[in-house]
Amino acid sequence: MSERKRINMPIPFTIYDLAAARITAPYFAQQNTRMSDFTVGVSYLWQAHFDCRYAIVADCLILQVQYDGGRYFTYPIGERVDEALTLLEQHCTESGTPLRFATVSPAQTQQLARRYPRTEVHEQRQFFDYVYHYADLATFAGRRYSAHRNHINQFVKHAPDWQYVPMT
C-alpha cells in the first residue's frame, strides 16, 4: 500500500473568477469528457449560482460547487488523480465536509465505484447536457425550437438595450 500524504489544513478552494479561468483552462483542455460543466465558460458563468470554487491539488483541478444545500466536488482533472482523491478525502475528514461528487462522467463514475464500493449514483435530469446541431441553433427553425424562440423574444422584449461584449 502506498504511503498517503497528509495535509494539515483544509484545501483552500478559491472563488472562480476571471483569474481562475486562465489558471484552469489548461486542465479543462486535457480532460476527455464532453460535459459542458468542464469548461471555463460554464464554471465562470455559473459561479455565483453554484458558488463555484476551485483548487489545484496534486497537479489536478478540483471544482467545488454548492446546490441542494450541500457541497459537491468534481472528479479531479489531471495526471495524479489517485493522489488528488486521497488529499480530497483528508480535506473532507478534517473539515467535516461529506465527500460527494457531482457532474461525473460514466467513466469517472466507474472509477469512483471501484475506489468507493458503497457508492450511490443519483442522476438528475435537470442537469443533463443537450447537444444540438449548430445550424439549428443559428435559425431555431421549426416547431421543435418554438420554446427557444419564445425565450429569446422575451429576453429582447425585457432587455432591449442588451449588447454582446467580449470578455478580455
Side-chain angles (χ1 to χ4, degrees):
M1 185 171 182
S2 65
E3 185 178 319
R4 292 186 171 203
K5 292 187 178 181
R6 295 295 305 162
I7 55 176
N8 295 325
M9 56 192 277
I11 295 170
F13 283 92
T14 305
I15 293 174
Y16 201 96
D17 56 13
L18 281 178
R22 291 180 188 89
I23 294 167
T24 60
Y27 292 93
F28 286 130
Q30 66 179 285
Q31 58 86 30
N32 61 2
T33 180
R34 297 180 72 185
M35 295 169 53
S36 65
D37 295 79
F38 295 110
T39 63
V40 168
V42 167
S43 298
Y44 180 73
L45 292 174
W46 285 97
Q47 186 283 324
H49 184 74
F50 290 112
D51 189 24
C52 184
R53 296 170 182 265
Y54 79 99
I56 307 301
V57 179
D59 296 325
C60 291
L61 168 65
I62 300 176
L63 298 178
Q64 175 185 278
V65 295
Q66 181 161 341
Y67 69 93
D68 288 341
R71 290 235 168 252
Y72 295 81
F73 304 95
T74 60
Y75 191 84
I77 301 171
E79 297 296 322
R80 296 165 39 206
V81 171
D82 285 334
E83 185 178 345
L85 286 171
T86 297
L87 293 171
L88 183 59
E89 292 165 9
Q90 292 171 9
H91 164 81
C92 289
T93 298
E94 293 171 10
S95 66
T97 304
L99 179 61
R100 297 182 288 199
F101 294 91
T103 61
V104 181
S105 73
Q108 294 166 342
T109 300
Q110 290 176 355
Q111 292 166 349
L112 288 172
R114 280 194 293 275
R115 186 175 177 108
Y116 310 108
R118 297 185 315 175
T119 297
E120 292 182 22
V121 177
H122 303 275
E123 293 183 351
Q124 296 181 321
R125 189 162 179 79
Q126 75 264 27
F127 295 116
F128 283 12
D129 283 340
Y130 296 92
V131 178
Y132 297 97
H133 191 271
Y134 74 91
D136 292 348
L137 293 181
T139 62
F140 291 121
R143 173 180 238 160
R144 179 179 181 190
Y145 295 104
S146 63
H148 295 75
R149 284 192 306 275
N150 289 339
H151 287 299
I152 291 170
N153 291 335
Q154 287 299 312
F155 173 77
V156 170
K157 179 180 176 181
H158 294 293
D161 296 330
W162 74 274
Q163 58 181 313
Y164 171 80
V165 179
M167 291 179 13
T168 56

